[in-house]
Amino acid sequence: MVSGTGRVLVLGGTGEARRLAGALVADGVDVVSSLAGRVADPVLPEGSVRVGGFGGVVGLTAWLEAHPVTAVVDATHPFATTMTASAASAADLTGVPLLRLQRPGWAEQPGDDWRWVGSLEEAAEAVAGFAHVFVTTGRTGLGAFAGLSQEVLVRSVDPPDPPLPPRTTVVLERGPFSVDDELALLREHGVDVVVTKDSGGHLTEAKLTAARLLGIPVVVVRRPPLPAGLVVVATVDEARAWVLAQPG
Ligand SMILES: NC(=O)c1ccc[n+]([C@@H]2O[C@H](COP(=O)([O-])OP(=O)(O)OC[C@H]3O[C@@H](n4cnc5c(N)ncnc54)[C@H](OP(=O)(O)O)[C@@H]3O)[C@@H](O)[C@H]2O)c1
């Protein structure tokens, strides 16, 4: 793609999406980043930004027709399955080239006691025998844990919506977190099990190191599968190279 020609839509809400937008803007590419609008005070990427859902496949298809772009990069979170599915369908319908940028998942290391589950509901079942559960899966989907009767520590950027477990303590914080921060938090609340999605990345992995150091098990929610046929890359550099290789 020749600098300054064409427009690229980056579906965002992740650090990778922000870094990609910044790199492309520096390359002279016209970038519009899209955010869902879930976080009250988001860290905004460089370039243009639009906020809010498109209205499913139909809405995104209409948006792509009304705002022609030469390429779409879906850099949403690995668990943003609805947006990823909509992007794949809308790209098929419009013929706009689509790339999925998805960071690698986390890998178990010596000393880890990880218990893989397929959903938040299964994660809630997996923590049944524990007394102090640290739920780090974000503010949405916490209803899956609402039936837990033990102490539950929830951390999220914005206040979580009910229903919450009856004995919930909420910590409002935005990552990145250091291992020392995480060790202090786990000790302060007497946490004996951590629940996480397999989000991957460095911003929130310190909790895994802290759990390993303290010998605390971690319940890890497996990533949902990607739509068939998607072109997928794992790094911002690969995504940038793909965009720059698109015809303007
Ligand atoms: N799921 C997580 O654990 C997680 C963690 C960190 C950050 N995030 C970020 O938070 C946002 C929402 O995540 P989610 O899990 O709620 O996604 P989701 O379940 O896949 O999306 C639900 C709906 O939100 C809208 N949406 C999602 N991402 C959007 C974007 N980048 N731009 C415009 N609309 C978007 C779409 O609405 P319409 O159907 O109306 O288009 C989508 O159908 C995403 O941007 C994601 O990258 C998610």
Side-chain angles (χ1 to χ4, degrees):
M1 176 181 288
V2 180
S3 291
T5 63
R7 181 159 236 228
V8 176
L9 172 65
V10 176
L11 300 172
T14 59
E16 286 79 6
R18 270 195 308 279
R19 290 208 301 283
L20 176 63
L24 292 174
V25 167
D27 289 327
V29 176
D30 182 7
V31 179
V32 56
S33 294
S34 175
L35 303 177
R38 296 273 194 289
V39 178
D41 180 22
V43 183
L44 291 177
E46 289 175 55
S48 309
V49 178
R50 67 161 299 285
V51 180
F54 294 94
V57 177
V58 172
L60 179 55
T61 303
W63 192 94
L64 290 173
E65 282 162 354
H67 305 81
V69 294
T70 43
V72 178
V73 180
D74 170 14
T76 56
H77 190 270
F79 283 78
T81 45
T82 311
M83 189 67 250
T84 290
S86 290
S89 299
D92 279 348
L93 289 167
T94 57
V96 177
L98 170 68
L99 180 75
R100 171 70 175 145
L101 166 56
Q102 180 164 280
R103 61 177 94 120
W106 286 315
E108 222 166 327
Q109 294 185 27
D112 281 332
D113 174 3
W114 287 9
R115 298 145 191 223
W116 290 89
V117 295
S119 65
L120 294 176
E121 289 71 21
E122 284 182 25
E125 286 169 24
V127 301
F130 294 90
H132 297 268
V133 186
F134 182 23
V135 176
T136 68
T137 52
R139 65 194 269 256
T140 56
L142 288 173
F145 300 94
L148 297 183
S149 55
Q150 60 267 60
E151 297 285 343
V152 176
L153 175 65
V154 168
R155 178 170 65 197
S156 59
V157 177
D158 288 320
D161 299 324
L164 299 175
R167 293 161 68 198
T168 298
T169 303
V170 177
V171 179
L172 296 180
E173 274 177 337
R174 195 198 301 260
F177 307 104
S178 72
V179 174
D180 283 346
D181 291 342
E182 300 294 47
L183 284 170
L185 188 72
L186 294 178
R187 287 187 174 121
E188 183 192 338
H189 293 271
V191 169
D192 58 358
V193 66
V194 176
V195 180
T196 182
K197 293 175 179 169
D198 180 19
S199 299
H202 300 302
L203 285 186
T204 56
E205 75 176 346
K207 64 191 171 193
L208 304 173
T209 309
R212 184 182 313 128
L213 291 171
L214 295 178
I216 294 173
V218 181
V219 175
V220 186
V221 183
R222 234 176 266 115
R223 290 180 172 194
L226 287 169
L230 264 191
V231 182
V232 185
V233 296
T235 65
V236 170
D237 284 348
E238 290 167 288
R240 173 178 172 245
W242 180 88
V243 169
L244 295 177
Q246 297 304 306

